[in-house]
Amino acid sequence: MSTRFPAGRLATLLLVSVTAVWGSTFFLIRDLVATVPSADFLAVRFAIAAVVMAVVFRRQLLALTRREVMIGVVLGVLYGLAQLLQTIGLEHTDASVSGFVTGTYVVLTPIFAAVLFRDRLPWTTWVAVLLATAGLAVLSLRGLSVGFGEALTLGSAALYALHIVGLGRWSTAGSATGLATVQAFVIAVVAGIAAVPGGLTLPADGGQWASLLYMAIVAGAVALWAQTWAQAHLPATRAAIVMTMEPVFAAFFAVLFGGESLTARMLVGGALVLTAMYVVELLGRRSPEASAEEDPPAELLHHEV
């Protein structure tokens, strides 16, 4: 990797691009799940993603060790369960509250990293966590009632945080593509098991299939690979802060394509999240602790093309 463009910087840009893609899917998912049950949608989406990735990344998949396959299975189960809990929780709570509660993974990630792996974080990271959380609250929170839906959504946030921590700990540049492929297969299986009781419902027309294919290939296969590769070069907490850009992009696309109006809440919330990005990506690099965590092990720099 060229010294003029460090792997960490490229990973950040890639992860921001992933959040933009995720943000673009909100209005598509909202329309699709009106006729296709959530578990069915997730099962078909990740099954397509897994098949595409297995064809494209066959060599990298076969090169995984047994340990790496098991890591991929565990991470896939975490992510698949998180998707299901978030989707079921959304059926019992407002979308705005769900968005905020899901975003609490930005707080849970450094806590889990500290408890499980004794990670020490620079003060700039904790400032960025607080700013990102405040931005999420301004963007999405319009009253919070704690009930069944909120509890499920908080559970999904905890699983997302564990997934982020796990990727940050075990993903390497060399194993990223194979690891992402294993995760896609496992997510499809987890969602498929949840879809079995009611039978599998497929999209009804070409427009729905086009949306599903976009979410399977671009927001599924490509995004899952990009997240896995990026987290081989980023500390888990910084990755979580970068991923809080998702609701900012969701608001942007809702205004651009969904017919929603630009509000002061969107501007203030988005500004807080962007400030968090600035703190962790620019100011954080100036501290000795951040510089130490920025330098990946030498083996991470030898990635597959």
Side-chain angles (χ1 to χ4, degrees), residues 65-88:
T65 65
R66 180 176 297 180
R67 177 178 180 273
E68 288 169 336
V69 170
M70 290 308 301
I71 288 172
V73 170
V74 171
L75 293 175
V77 170
L78 288 174
Y79 195 90
L81 290 175
Q83 290 264 307
L84 287 171
L85 286 180
Q86 181 185 14
T87 304
I88 297 171

Side-chain angles (χ1 to χ4, degrees), residues 50-71:
V51 170
V52 170
M53 295 174 78
V55 171
V56 176
F57 300 132
R58 179 177 178 274
R59 180 172 60 87
Q60 293 90 336
L61 180 62
L62 295 176
L64 291 178
T65 65
R66 180 176 297 180
R67 177 178 180 273
E68 288 169 336
V69 170
M70 290 308 301
I71 288 172

Side-chain angles (χ1 to χ4, degrees), residues 19-73:
T19 65
V21 170
W22 286 341
S24 72
T25 65
F26 274 64
F27 66 96
L28 296 175
I29 293 174
R30 180 188 59 197
D31 294 339
L32 190 58
V33 297
T35 56
V36 180
S38 299
D40 301 39
F41 154 69
L42 290 172
V44 176
R45 172 186 175 183
F46 282 101
I48 294 172
V51 170
V52 170
M53 295 174 78
V55 171
V56 176
F57 300 132
R58 179 177 178 274
R59 180 172 60 87
Q60 293 90 336
L61 180 62
L62 295 176
L64 291 178
T65 65
R66 180 176 297 180
R67 177 178 180 273
E68 288 169 336
V69 170
M70 290 308 301
I71 288 172
V73 170

Side-chain angles (χ1 to χ4, degrees), residues 11-293:
T12 298
L13 293 175
L14 196 59
L15 207 51
V16 169
S17 300
V18 167
T19 65
V21 170
W22 286 341
S24 72
T25 65
F26 274 64
F27 66 96
L28 296 175
I29 293 174
R30 180 188 59 197
D31 294 339
L32 190 58
V33 297
T35 56
V36 180
S38 299
D40 301 39
F41 154 69
L42 290 172
V44 176
R45 172 186 175 183
F46 282 101
I48 294 172
V51 170
V52 170
M53 295 174 78
V55 171
V56 176
F57 300 132
R58 179 177 178 274
R59 180 172 60 87
Q60 293 90 336
L61 180 62
L62 295 176
L64 291 178
T65 65
R66 180 176 297 180
R67 177 178 180 273
E68 288 169 336
V69 170
M70 290 308 301
I71 288 172
V73 170
V74 171
L75 293 175
V77 170
L78 288 174
Y79 195 90
L81 290 175
Q83 290 264 307
L84 287 171
L85 286 180
Q86 181 185 14
T87 304
I88 297 171
L90 189 56
E91 298 174 2
H92 299 276
T93 189
D94 293 337
S96 58
V97 175
S98 175
F100 171 74
V101 177
T102 301
T104 58
Y105 65 71
V106 74
V107 177
L108 296 173
T109 296
I111 293 174
F112 288 156
V115 171
L116 296 175
F117 300 112
R118 301 185 183 279
D119 288 356
R120 297 182 62 184
L121 303 175
W123 67 269
T124 50
T125 298
W126 289 108
V127 171
V129 165
L130 293 175
L131 286 170
T133 304
L136 287 169
V138 172
L139 271 171
S140 59
L141 201 57
R142 294 172 178 82
L144 178 62
S145 59
V146 179
F148 179 67
E150 289 76 22
L152 289 180
T153 308
L154 183 60
S156 77
L159 291 172
Y160 282 131
L162 287 172
H163 181 262
I164 293 168
V165 171
L167 274 182
R169 178 63 53 170
W170 293 305
S171 175
T172 66
S175 67
T177 50
L179 203 59
T181 305
V182 173
Q183 289 181 80
F185 273 106
V186 175
I187 296 166
V189 170
V190 170
I193 292 172
V196 164
L200 190 64
T201 301
L202 298 176
D205 55 44
Q208 290 187 345
W209 272 110
S211 296
L212 183 61
L213 288 173
Y214 168 74
M215 287 184 280
I217 297 173
V218 180
V222 175
L224 190 57
W225 166 81
Q227 182 190 1
T228 304
W229 186 90
Q231 284 208 241
H233 300 83
L234 286 177
T237 299
R238 206 160 85 218
I241 293 169
V242 172
M243 285 190 281
T244 57
M245 285 294 293
E246 180 181 357
V248 178
F249 281 115
F252 171 77
F253 285 113
V255 171
L256 194 63
F257 299 115
E260 296 188 18
S261 301
L262 184 65
T263 65
R265 295 177 67 95
M266 292 180 183
L267 293 173
V268 174
L272 285 169
V273 173
L274 288 172
T275 302
M277 286 272 295
Y278 171 79
V279 169
V280 78
E281 281 298 310
L282 299 179
L283 293 183
R285 292 174 187 273
R286 300 176 184 176
S287 70
E289 293 170 281
S291 297
E293 71 174 4

